Amino acid sequence: MVGLLDTIKTMLERDKTVRLVANDPALTAELLLLFRMILADGEVRNEELMMFKSICRTAFGLNPEVMSEVYKYLEDFGYEMTAEQTVQIFSELPEERRRDLLDRMIQIAESDDVLDTRELQLLGKTADMLGFDLKGGSA
């Protein structure tokens, strides 16, 4: 009986998490960008994945253990979202949230102690899109 209750609780939490992400386009775009940071060097490293899960939990209040449906949603949504739509979403975010997003991407990139040139390129493009100059350090 306890196993059944745990299963139901997990299903409800998973559905709640998917709804939370699906109803917040900015959160969806942030999660997509963070996941793209993991993929930027062409290899999913455990350290990067663990950092992503930690960020999901601490920054967004999402339980990474019930995010399998969120990953499926992000995959589908990622194919539908254009670069222009992404820029529009991020341009409407407060500066602090944009800065936090860039900081989280850097955390993921640095988590495996290897900064690949493709990761640096993604960070540079994202910084530009978010209105930051990585070289000058200003917004």
Side-chain angles (χ1 to χ4, degrees):
M1 185 65 165
V2 173
L4 178 61
L5 291 176
D6 287 340
T7 301
I8 292 171
K9 180 180 174 188
T10 299
M11 287 173 46
L12 291 174
E13 189 173 348
R14 186 178 301 129
D15 289 345
K16 176 183 162 196
T17 302
V18 172
R19 280 193 312 276
L20 176 71
V21 173
N23 290 329
D24 186 342
L27 177 58
T28 298
E30 286 178 87
L31 291 173
L32 275 170
L33 199 48
L34 291 173
F35 203 77
R36 285 185 181 141
M37 190 75 246
I38 293 171
L39 301 173
D41 61 3
E43 190 175 334
V44 177
R45 292 192 171 90
N46 189 50
E47 298 88 355
E48 294 169 329
L49 197 52
M50 295 308 293
M51 180 58 71
F52 176 76
K53 288 180 178 184
S54 175
I55 289 168
C56 285
R57 182 182 308 281
T58 58
F60 305 118
L62 302 174
N63 180 352
E65 305 308 317
V66 297
M67 290 198 35
S68 59
E69 295 299 317
V70 171
Y71 298 146
K72 290 177 190 172
Y73 170 76
L74 290 174
E75 183 178 4
D76 292 342
F77 193 83
Y79 290 116
E80 296 174 12
M81 184 176 242
T82 66
E84 293 79 21
Q85 290 170 320
T86 304
V87 169
Q88 179 65 35
I89 288 171
F90 289 133
S91 70
E92 295 173 1
L93 294 178
E95 180 180 333
E96 182 179 351
R97 188 164 173 184
R98 289 182 285 127
R99 188 176 310 278
D100 288 344
L101 172 59
L102 192 57
D103 288 344
R104 291 178 187 124
M105 290 179 69
I106 293 169
Q107 287 176 323
I108 290 171
E110 292 178 338
S111 66
D112 63 357
D113 296 323
V114 177
L115 274 178
D116 184 272
T117 55
R118 294 167 290 188
E119 290 172 324
L120 293 172
Q121 288 173 342
L122 180 57
L123 286 170
K125 288 178 185 178
T126 303
D128 287 344
M129 177 183 66
L130 296 175
F132 297 108
D133 177 4
L134 286 182
K135 292 180 178 84
S138 62

